[in-house]
Amino acid sequence: MIDIQDVTYKIAGQPILQDVSLQLDKGGIIALIGPNGAGKSTLLSLVARLLPLQTGTIRVDDLQIGQTVDTVLAKKLGILPQELTVASRLTIRDLVGFGRYPYHKGRPSADDHDRVDTALHLFDLSDLAERQLETLSGGQRQRAFVAMAYVQDTDYLLLDEPLNNLDIAASRALMTLLRDLTAGRKRTVVIVLHDINYAAAYADRIIALKAGRVVADGAPDAVVTAALLRDVFETPANVTTVARRQVVLV
Ligand SMILES: Nc1ncnc2c1ncn2[C@@H]1O[C@H](COP(=O)(O)OP(=O)(O)O)[C@@H](O)[C@H]1O
Ligand SMILES: [Mg+2]
């Protein structure tokens, strides 16, 4: 479980997150939604220790963030940040291989190479493996970033807007893969999504943030309602039901 207790985070005195407490049980897909600037990326960054905690505590199973060695946490929890800058001359294979670094520390074993091959295959990147990142489309690059996070083989995977730049086929393929990964409560995926319809279709639980606070938390059919979306996003929302699933009309 990821246990977030009373987390407040301020920048220059301005609260970015306020009194956030969440228990994210192991297993399944948890979608984080909310308007731009709500604090979604900040929350993921705190859990993944990319930002230092100011107030409150975060535990990942028995590990306390801020008091655990990075290399131990790196085998427990992986993150794909919203913005990632890497050397564009890297090949896809090298980039994905970085995901194994916590295990091999620079000396990949045959098993590490096998796992990279498997990830390249899963994310439909095998044919692009030797290409440099700068020669890829945005969507192809995004798939490679997700593959790098995946190959780290952690119980918890945090993905910040991984559907950016992905077409409908790649989006569905990624969400289906994540659903398979989390089936049987094996892995836990916490994913920031802007498209509510993907959250409704694939997530087990949806948490809405607004202005640094949790404003909704529950099963998709409880959260994806016209009234709630209007309050959270401050725009009229038309929600209908198709094939027993709530769909937001745009
Ligand atoms: N380095 C920073 N300096 C000032 N404000 C920041 C900084 N980083 C984030 N913020 C502010 O914090 C708020 C939350 O940002 P973020 O967590 O990225 O939101 P989200 O991911 O939900 O869009 C935003 O209002 C953003 O402008
Ligand atoms: Mg963000």
Side-chain angles (χ1 to χ4, degrees):
M1 177 168 85
I2 300 178
D3 187 12
I4 300 166
Q5 289 286 347
D6 303 320
V7 165
T8 293
Y9 188 83
K10 295 181 179 173
I11 297 178
Q14 291 294 317
I16 308 295
L17 291 174
Q18 286 216 69
D19 301 321
V20 173
S21 292
L22 285 168
Q23 278 76 49
L24 310 178
D25 285 334
K26 201 162 194 173
I29 297 180
I30 300 159
L32 271 186
I33 64 169
N36 295 323
K40 306 177 297 295
S41 296
T42 303
L43 184 61
L44 288 196
S45 298
L46 289 167
V47 175
R49 83 242 176 257
L50 300 180
L51 288 174
L53 264 176
Q54 295 173 346
T55 313
T57 56
I58 300 177
R59 299 180 74 89
V60 181
D61 292 341
D62 52 345
L63 307 176
Q64 183 145 351
I65 300 295
Q67 296 179 13
T68 306
V69 183
D70 275 356
T71 50
V72 174
L73 262 172
K75 294 177 188 170
K76 181 70 109 179
L77 181 136
I79 184 167
L80 172 66
Q82 187 171 355
E83 267 149 41
L84 200 59
T85 38
V86 294
S88 53
R89 293 277 171 87
L90 276 178
T91 65
I92 299 272
R93 181 183 297 283
D94 290 340
L95 176 83
V96 175
F98 278 138
R100 296 301 301 164
Y101 191 85
Y103 298 89
H104 61 60
K105 313 257 170 55
R107 295 163 162 260
S109 67
D111 176 57
D112 292 314
H113 289 303
D114 283 351
R115 284 170 182 267
V116 170
D117 279 336
T118 303
L120 290 169
H121 176 72
L122 266 178
F123 286 88
D124 201 18
L125 293 166
S126 301
D127 293 344
L128 303 171
E130 315 312 329
R131 293 256 300 266
Q132 293 180 346
L133 282 176
E134 64 186 357
T135 72
L136 300 180
S137 76
Q140 291 167 334
R141 211 173 302 148
Q142 185 68 6
R143 286 215 306 279
F145 288 140
V146 180
M148 174 178 65
Y150 164 82
V151 86
Q152 201 174 325
D153 194 29
T154 53
D155 288 346
Y156 299 92
L157 190 54
L158 314 181
L159 302 172
D160 201 344
E161 298 194 29
L163 300 187
N164 272 356
N165 292 315
L166 296 193
D167 65 33
I168 183 167
S171 297
R172 282 181 174 153
L174 175 59
M175 294 308 297
T176 304
L177 184 68
L178 296 177
R179 193 157 62 186
D180 292 347
L181 268 182
T182 59
R185 308 180 63 78
K186 280 200 294 269
R187 296 218 217 177
T188 311
V189 170
V190 184
I191 181 170
V192 178
L193 292 173
H194 273 299
D195 190 328
I196 311 293
N197 288 332
Y198 278 92
Y202 291 95
D204 300 293
R205 174 178 173 189
I206 301 178
I207 297 168
L209 284 182
K210 183 181 183 183
R213 293 181 187 272
V214 175
V215 291
D217 182 359
D221 57 2
V223 175
V224 182
T225 66
L228 200 137
L229 295 180
R230 192 186 52 227
D231 285 351
V232 173
F233 291 96
E234 295 178 14
T235 182
N238 194 350
V239 178
T240 189
T241 305
V242 179
R244 278 179 285 139
R245 184 195 292 163
Q246 274 125 305
V247 176
V248 185
L249 303 177
V250 291

